Amino acid sequence: MALTLQSRIPLAPLTTLKCGGSAEYFAEVDSIEALEGALAFAEEKNLTVTILGGGSNVLVNDAGVRGLVIRPMFTSILYRTEGTDVYVESGAGVTLDALVADTVAKQLWGIENLSGIPGSVGAVPIQNVGAYGVEAKDVVHEVTVYNRDTKHAEKLSTVECAFAYRHSFFKTEAGKRYVVMSVTFKLSTLPHPRISYRDLKEYFKEDTAPSLEAIRTAVVAIRDGKFPDWHTVGTAGSFFKNPIISREVYEALQLKFPLVPGFAEAGGVKVPLGWILDHVLNVKGYREGNVGLYEKQALVLVKYGNASSDEVLDFAEHIRERVFVATGVHVEFEAVYIA
Ligand code: EPU
């Protein structure tokens, strides 16, 4: 496909929160040549470049996004088998859930716990996507990127990706010079059910060796019970990150709220913010105007009707402030604000 540059393209329909303004310039690219063409255009006009994936974790500024928004549409999926290992290289533009479905149908183990996540494969390494006991860092083998400085494609190892909780090298200033073109996952033909996450354990009870299809079905069912349908309401999944606090701060929190859950994580203890919102602030299902916290999962912000991005942001700030006042814990947004 030849490069088509468009201007004034509304971004709301390209995001699951469905709000915000237009891109000054917009291009979908499905080849390295098209990507290079788009980047050259931006360089020539001195435009900032924003990469938009599946739009499931972003909040677009009401005034729109200045510069060029590029949407990677690389959609090939290549399988390479080495003994019981199968390397799956997926284009950044592939829908993550479509890839999961394909690997499950091929009886390959590794990403089945990531079933049902909206968004595209390109975002997987960027925010170290994770759910139900599996994170990108466990399954990504390497990432093929376009380096905007050297103007060449490169392969980054998982070490270079520097994965951390909802974080990676790609989120740093240096990392923003790279465009993810494809992600190679290392999957296996050997059964390896990962069902120790609480919800999965409860779902499977005594069944310790469920099939791949059963795990996919379970994850989708669990998600359906906790997340709103993004086709009908505005949502970005967890709008906030679960805070990671020091053990000392966690112990102090436990004195005040003895039941507060905590999970050891690099850098301290990860505390489920959903629990704090639900049991400390009692704001599950709380709504201000057209923005609220979902009635079945407090960590999920929901936009009803035509709320603007500013309304979403004001509400999220308000919730953040309330968490800080009640617990002293500082919360970060998981959703990325683009302007
Ligand atoms: N909880 C409550 N009330 C709530 C929500 C949660 O008490 O309203 C408690 C639960 O009972 C549970 C704990 O908090 O003990 C954790 O809840 P859950 O298992 O639903 O997971 P989470 O920490 O809220 C994280 C990810 C989700 C991911 C799930 C499952 C983040 C920010 N969120 O949510 O990821 O699907 O675990 O692995 O890490 C996303 O990133 O957008 C996302 C949806």
Side-chain angles (χ1 to χ4, degrees), residues 265-339:
E265 175 85 28
V269 179
K270 183 156 80 179
V271 177
L273 181 66
W275 190 92
I276 293 179
L277 296 170
D278 192 359
H279 301 278
V280 176
L281 294 177
N282 199 18
V283 288
K284 187 150 82 173
Y286 170 70
R287 182 167 169 175
E288 280 175 16
N290 274 329
V291 191
L293 298 179
Y294 192 49
E295 71 258 18
K296 296 178 189 161
Q297 224 296 14
L299 198 54
V300 175
L301 180 149
V302 184
K303 190 209 80 167
Y304 306 93
N306 290 325
S308 65
S309 288
D310 280 350
E311 286 173 78
V312 170
L313 213 52
D314 286 351
F315 177 84
E317 288 290 1
H318 183 203
I319 293 295
R320 166 148 76 182
E321 178 66 23
R322 286 184 65 179
V323 172
F324 186 72
V325 170
T327 63
V329 172
H330 177 74
V331 168
E332 287 175 19
F333 297 159
E334 181 186 302
V336 177
Y337 185 64
I338 54 175

Side-chain angles (χ1 to χ4, degrees), residues 10-308:
L11 294 175
L14 301 179
T15 72
T16 57
L17 269 167
K18 301 181 202 75
C19 53
S22 300
E24 187 180 0
Y25 293 98
F26 180 81
E28 291 188 335
V29 298
D30 67 353
S31 67
I32 190 164
E33 294 75 21
L35 174 62
E36 283 176 325
L39 291 170
F41 172 82
E43 208 167 278
E44 196 185 294
K45 286 191 150 322
N46 205 14
L47 303 172
T48 54
V49 171
T50 303
I51 307 293
L52 179 70
S56 59
N57 202 43
V58 293
L59 178 63
V60 174
N61 170 35
D62 287 324
V65 180
R66 274 177 303 130
L68 172 65
V69 173
I70 298 178
R71 199 160 176 243
M73 301 296 281
F74 307 95
T75 52
S76 70
I77 304 179
L78 301 170
Y79 288 86
R80 180 168 56 85
T81 304
E82 276 182 29
T84 56
D85 295 333
V86 179
Y87 295 89
V88 184
E89 181 177 358
S90 166
V94 171
T95 301
L96 176 57
D97 194 50
L99 179 70
V100 175
D102 202 44
T103 62
V104 167
K106 289 186 162 66
Q107 293 302 309
L108 300 175
W109 293 79
I111 53 175
E112 58 283 359
N113 293 38
L114 305 182
S115 291
I117 297 178
S120 56
V121 166
V124 170
I126 293 174
Q127 61 154 342
N128 185 20
V129 163
Y132 302 102
V134 172
E135 272 187 331
K137 70 169 172 49
D138 309 319
V139 284
V140 168
H141 172 65
E142 65 185 11
V143 181
T144 304
V145 292
Y146 185 80
N147 180 333
R148 291 171 57 192
D149 294 323
T150 64
K151 298 189 166 51
H152 285 296
E154 288 174 17
K155 288 187 190 300
L156 298 187
S157 69
T158 47
V159 173
E160 288 168 305
C161 290
F163 293 124
Y165 169 61
R166 293 295 187 273
H167 192 75
S168 74
F169 166 68
F170 299 108
K171 292 212 147 194
T172 64
E173 277 317 304
K176 287 183 183 149
R177 301 296 300 164
Y178 294 78
V179 182
V180 174
M181 294 197 296
S182 71
V183 181
T184 303
F185 298 88
K186 186 180 177 185
L187 306 183
S188 175
T189 55
L190 301 176
H192 181 36
R194 273 160 297 186
I195 52 170
S196 55
Y197 197 89
R198 200 178 84 173
D199 294 347
L200 285 172
K201 234 192 307 203
E202 283 170 7
Y203 183 98
F204 285 112
K205 302 196 173 72
E206 308 81 55
D207 183 359
T208 53
S211 68
L212 266 173
E213 291 80 1
I215 295 174
R216 176 164 167 77
T217 303
V219 170
V220 169
I222 292 164
R223 293 186 69 94
D224 283 350
K226 292 198 178 193
F227 298 96
D229 179 359
W230 64 267
H231 298 92
T232 53
V233 291
T235 174
S238 303
F239 193 88
F240 308 92
K241 288 188 198 174
N242 285 327
I244 297 172
I245 57 181
S246 70
R247 185 144 288 280
E248 296 71 43
V249 172
Y250 177 66
E251 281 163 8
L253 201 61
Q254 267 182 321
L255 288 179
K256 229 169 140 192
F257 309 104
L259 295 179
V260 63
F263 303 95
E265 175 85 28
V269 179
K270 183 156 80 179
V271 177
L273 181 66
W275 190 92
I276 293 179
L277 296 170
D278 192 359
H279 301 278
V280 176
L281 294 177
N282 199 18
V283 288
K284 187 150 82 173
Y286 170 70
R287 182 167 169 175
E288 280 175 16
N290 274 329
V291 191
L293 298 179
Y294 192 49
E295 71 258 18
K296 296 178 189 161
Q297 224 296 14
L299 198 54
V300 175
L301 180 149
V302 184
K303 190 209 80 167
Y304 306 93
N306 290 325
S308 65

